[in-house]
């Protein structure tokens, strides 16, 4: 099926990028930084923590986009905030809605770079797939994003902003405790390698997990890495979310081709870091993502090697049918081959759900994301937004 063209829609969302007009964004700031920002505007230091709590609630619990709406702040303070700061989200360039309800947003950020964010509705949850970089540096051969050069890292404001954009579009603000939230889960599986932008990702997720705002449980946030081994322990220590490993092969020879970062940190080093993961337990298993590529990594021998490699690691294996993209060098494994692979994994005691492709008709499925950011790469770097 051909992907539907991305056609801009008129949405009731902000149309400017963050940092517009030279204003600093309050979105994505940690609480201490927000307190400091309020002191800068003239709030007395002893009152700043209380005012920060109020601003925090307006931004992340109520979803306001205008300081004027913060009715429990004085008019003078609201005016001073508007002079110095912004609450702008990333600009929504386009939105597509799949036949299965999946939504893909093309978002423009400061400097003109673009990223994609995907919302996947399910009966028991609503998952938002968030990007951490404009482009990617890893060049994984099965991934469409890997064919796009890295432009820069996203800021914490731009990462949190993706959540706010989705909640704006879905009307997900102001729900009562008995109403189910539409954005209930976040996965850092969009464009980019999160662990090559660790500090911004950590800061953004700490904002997302704050109980007085977006209030996402740490166990409803999953960070996926291709294997930046030195940073993996920090995920457990400093973020505390669930961990997923973009694994995809059972020998270094094959993984070197599929996931080139393997040449720097091979399978043995990667699995050692998984075994040492600070939050590893049967209740918080590591997810090993395994894209099924016909004739490449889908044999019974691969399945048997996989379960031997991860022996002793509380884990589940997500089998991901390859999602094709224009010019892709691979084909999706046949359904019976995926089923046979899964049976071997199951018999070894590991759950091995097969991920149902979502949003294929709008190129929103796993491995298909790619923005048009190459055309602004030089301009973005020249403007001082380089990674």
């Amino acid at each position: 099926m051909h992907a539907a063209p991305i056609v801009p829609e008129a949405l009731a969302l902000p149309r400017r990028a963050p940092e517009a007009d030279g204003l600093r964004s309050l979105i994505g700031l940690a609480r201490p930084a927000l307190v400091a920002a309020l002191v800068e505007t003239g709030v007395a230091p002893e009152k700043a923590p209380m005012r920060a709590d109020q601003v925090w609630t307006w931004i992340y619990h109520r979803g306001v986009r205008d300081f004027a709406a913060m009715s429990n702040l004085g008019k003078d303070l609201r005016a001073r905030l508007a002079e110095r700061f912004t609450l702008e989200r990333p600009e929504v360039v386009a939105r597509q809605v799949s036949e299965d309800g999946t939504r893909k947003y093309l978002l423009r950020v400061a400097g003109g770079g673009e990223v994609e964010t995907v919302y996947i509705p399910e009966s028991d949850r609503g998952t938002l797939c968030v990007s951490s970089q404009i482009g990617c540096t890893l060049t994984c051969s099965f991934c469409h994003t890997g064919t796009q050069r890295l432009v820069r890292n996203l800021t914490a404001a731009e990462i949190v902003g993706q959540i706010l954009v989705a909640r704006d579009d879905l009307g997900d603000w102001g729900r009562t405790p008995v109403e189910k939230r539409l954005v209930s889960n976040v996965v850092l599986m969009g464009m980019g390698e999160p662990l090559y932008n660790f500090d911004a990702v950590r800061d953004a997720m700490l904002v997302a997990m704050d109980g007085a705002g977006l209030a996402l449980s740490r166990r409803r946030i999953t960070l996926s890495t291709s294997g930046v081994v030195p940073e993996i322990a920090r995920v457990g220590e400093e973020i505390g979310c669930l961990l997923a490993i973009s694994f995809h092969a059972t020998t270094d020879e094959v993984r070197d081709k599929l996931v080139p970062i393997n040449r720097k940190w091979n399978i043995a080093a990667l699995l050692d870091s998984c075994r040492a993961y600070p939050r590893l337990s049967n209740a918080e298993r590591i997810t090993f993502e395994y894209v099924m590529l016909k004739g490449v990594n889908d044999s019974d021998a691969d399945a048997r090697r996989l379960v031997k490699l991860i022996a002793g690691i509380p884990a589940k294996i997500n089998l991901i049918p390859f999602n094709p993209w224009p010019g892709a060098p691979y084909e999706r494994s046949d359904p019976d081959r995926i089923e046979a692979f899964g049976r071997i994994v199951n018999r070894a005691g590991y759950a091995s759900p097969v991920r149902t492709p979502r949003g294929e008709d709008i190129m929103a499925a796993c491995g298909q994301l790619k923005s048009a950011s190459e055309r602004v790469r030089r301009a973005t770097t020249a403007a001082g937004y380089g990674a």
Side-chain angles (χ1 to χ4, degrees), residues 126-340:
T127 300
L128 191 69
C129 182
V130 172
S131 295
S132 57
Q133 296 178 308
I134 306 172
C136 190
T137 189
L138 294 182
T139 65
C140 296
S141 60
F142 59 88
C143 179
H144 202 201
T145 309
T147 67
Q148 177 179 338
R149 296 180 67 186
L150 178 69
V151 177
R152 68 170 173 88
N153 288 333
L154 295 179
T155 65
E158 291 161 347
I159 296 169
V160 175
Q162 295 172 67
I163 304 174
L164 304 186
V165 164
R167 296 199 72 191
D168 289 343
D169 184 42
L170 293 163
D172 202 24
W173 300 107
R175 291 178 173 268
T176 67
V178 298
E179 292 177 304
K180 186 164 63 175
R181 291 176 55 173
L182 298 177
V183 179
S184 62
N185 293 59
V186 166
V187 293
L188 289 149
M189 298 181 184
M191 296 169 59
E193 166 53 63
L195 297 191
Y196 277 153
N197 189 18
F198 184 88
D199 289 352
V201 167
R202 175 200 58 210
D203 294 349
M205 291 305 101
L206 292 179
V207 167
M209 291 185 287
D210 190 286
L214 295 173
L216 288 165
S217 164
R218 66 176 182 82
R219 293 180 66 176
R220 288 186 174 270
I221 297 174
T222 301
L223 183 149
S224 176
T225 177
S226 292
V228 185
V229 166
E231 301 294 323
I232 286 177
R234 294 182 67 194
V235 178
E237 294 164 353
E238 300 182 33
I239 304 176
C241 62
L242 300 182
L243 179 68
I245 302 296
S246 190
F247 202 59
H248 312 305
T250 61
T251 67
D252 284 325
E253 180 183 7
V254 175
R255 196 166 193 268
D256 284 351
K257 297 174 182 176
L258 297 180
V259 190
I261 197 175
N262 195 70
R263 299 168 192 161
K264 189 169 187 179
W265 296 292
N266 64 14
I267 289 175
L270 176 57
L271 293 179
D272 283 347
S273 71
C274 291
R275 291 187 171 90
Y277 188 63
R279 291 191 173 272
L280 186 62
S281 69
N282 286 326
E284 299 190 26
R285 298 172 292 170
I286 290 176
T287 297
F288 287 90
E289 299 166 307
Y290 199 94
V291 65
M292 300 297 294
L293 303 171
K294 187 173 184 177
V296 176
N297 65 352
D298 61 352
S299 68
D300 287 355
D302 283 304
R304 288 190 287 266
R305 276 195 299 268
L306 176 59
V307 296
K308 288 180 181 178
L309 284 169
I310 66 172
I313 301 176
K316 70 174 182 178
I317 295 91
N318 270 359
L319 301 181
I320 307 170
F322 173 66
N323 297 306
W325 37 270
Y330 302 108
E331 295 179 47
R332 178 180 294 178
S333 299
D334 295 332
D336 57 349
R337 181 87 299 272
I338 297 175
E339 184 179 349

